[in-house]
Amino acid sequence: GDDLRKLLLLCVSVCSSAISGPRAVRGVEQGSLTVQCQYDPGYEHYVKWWCRGAAWNNCPSVVKTIGSEKEVKEGRVSIRDNWKDRSFTVTMEELRLDDSDTYWCGIERTGTDLGNTVEVTIDPGKSMCVCGRVSSGPALSKDPTVPQRELTLISPGSSQRLSCHYSVNSSPLPLLGSVHFLLLVFLKVPLLLGMLGAVLWVNRPLRSSGGNPEKNQ
């Protein structure tokens, strides 16, 4: 009952002195955060874990090591132990607002595990995406036959990502934007006019003071 719960909490507070970490950390939505927990000598080869939930006796494990320094990843959360520094690091990626909660970094051992509580708070991101027109089509079409494109923006300093979708217009380009029209105006038309001028120059009538048609020819 209540006595057992108080005894358990007292044991956690006393036994957890062998492990320490930040009391609270903050992150930004769609970003990432890192939590580093330290432990005393002698616990290097023990399994380290990260769980979620305010209740110590009912805290579902999120990710745990395998008793080595190899990184272990579960979904958006990873954990890596460092025996030399006697610390292990938990990284949470692609943060969501509902990731805000009470977490524990702990050490698995016979009897009662060691644990340190960490309050995680996720703040909403602040970004704005403005999509303009592509060619002469709409910025974003609901027609499934219209090809769609995605532009990913990364906010400096926070690793925050924001996707902006837009459609590619498949209708013919305007006349002034046509490559063929530009070639016609700047290359083909002058060439044709030059050839026509040359033909007219060759076939022009020649004047002669003697009036001899054959000589003029």
Side-chain angles (χ1 to χ4, degrees), residues 5-216:
R5 180 178 177 83
K6 291 179 181 179
L7 180 61
L8 183 61
L9 292 177
L10 177 62
C11 180
V12 170
S13 62
V14 173
C15 298
S16 296
S17 59
I19 183 174
S20 62
R23 290 297 178 184
V25 293
R26 305 185 74 93
V28 181
E29 184 183 13
Q30 293 301 318
S32 62
L33 65 82
T34 300
V35 179
Q36 187 176 60
C37 295
Q38 304 282 339
Y39 53 85
D40 289 348
Y43 293 101
E44 287 82 356
H45 298 275
Y46 283 63
V47 172
K48 316 304 188 303
W49 47 258
W50 176 257
C51 72
R52 177 177 182 173
W56 169 263
N57 59 343
N58 187 23
C59 180
S61 176
V62 177
V63 65
K64 64 170 57 180
T65 66
I66 55 175
S68 69
E69 294 184 292
K70 182 179 179 180
E71 182 183 39
V72 178
K73 187 176 180 65
E74 294 289 344
R76 298 179 292 113
V77 185
S78 62
I79 187 172
R80 180 189 291 274
D81 199 357
N82 188 324
W83 294 347
K84 181 179 179 181
D85 296 336
R86 294 195 301 276
S87 67
F88 60 96
T89 303
V90 176
T91 302
M92 301 176 61
E93 301 177 336
E94 299 178 13
L95 297 172
R96 304 168 183 170
L97 293 178
D98 58 4
D99 287 333
S100 298
D101 206 341
T102 301
Y103 293 81
W104 296 78
C105 58
I107 301 176
E108 184 178 293
R109 67 173 189 171
T110 303
T112 304
D113 291 353
L114 303 177
N116 179 80
T117 179
V118 182
E119 292 293 333
V120 175
T121 303
I122 308 302
D123 298 321
K126 299 179 180 179
S127 296
M128 180 177 63
C129 178
V130 178
C131 297
R133 300 173 77 85
V134 179
S135 300
S136 61
L140 182 60
S141 175
K142 296 182 179 180
D143 187 353
T145 62
V146 178
Q148 302 292 316
R149 297 292 185 267
E150 179 179 351
L151 175 66
T152 301
L153 306 178
I154 302 178
S155 177
S158 65
S159 300
Q160 181 179 359
R161 298 186 177 183
L162 180 66
S163 296
C164 177
H165 298 269
Y166 59 91
S167 60
V168 178
N169 182 29
S170 58
S171 60
L173 293 173
L175 183 59
L176 290 177
S178 173
V179 176
H180 181 268
F181 178 78
L182 294 177
L183 291 175
L184 181 66
V185 172
F186 295 105
L187 182 60
K188 294 183 179 181
V189 171
L191 183 61
L192 291 176
L193 291 177
M195 294 176 61
L196 180 60
V199 171
L200 295 177
W201 175 266
V202 171
N203 294 330
R204 77 187 188 284
L206 300 178
R207 295 184 180 181
S208 176
S209 57
N212 188 346
E214 294 181 359
K215 186 176 181 180
N216 292 342

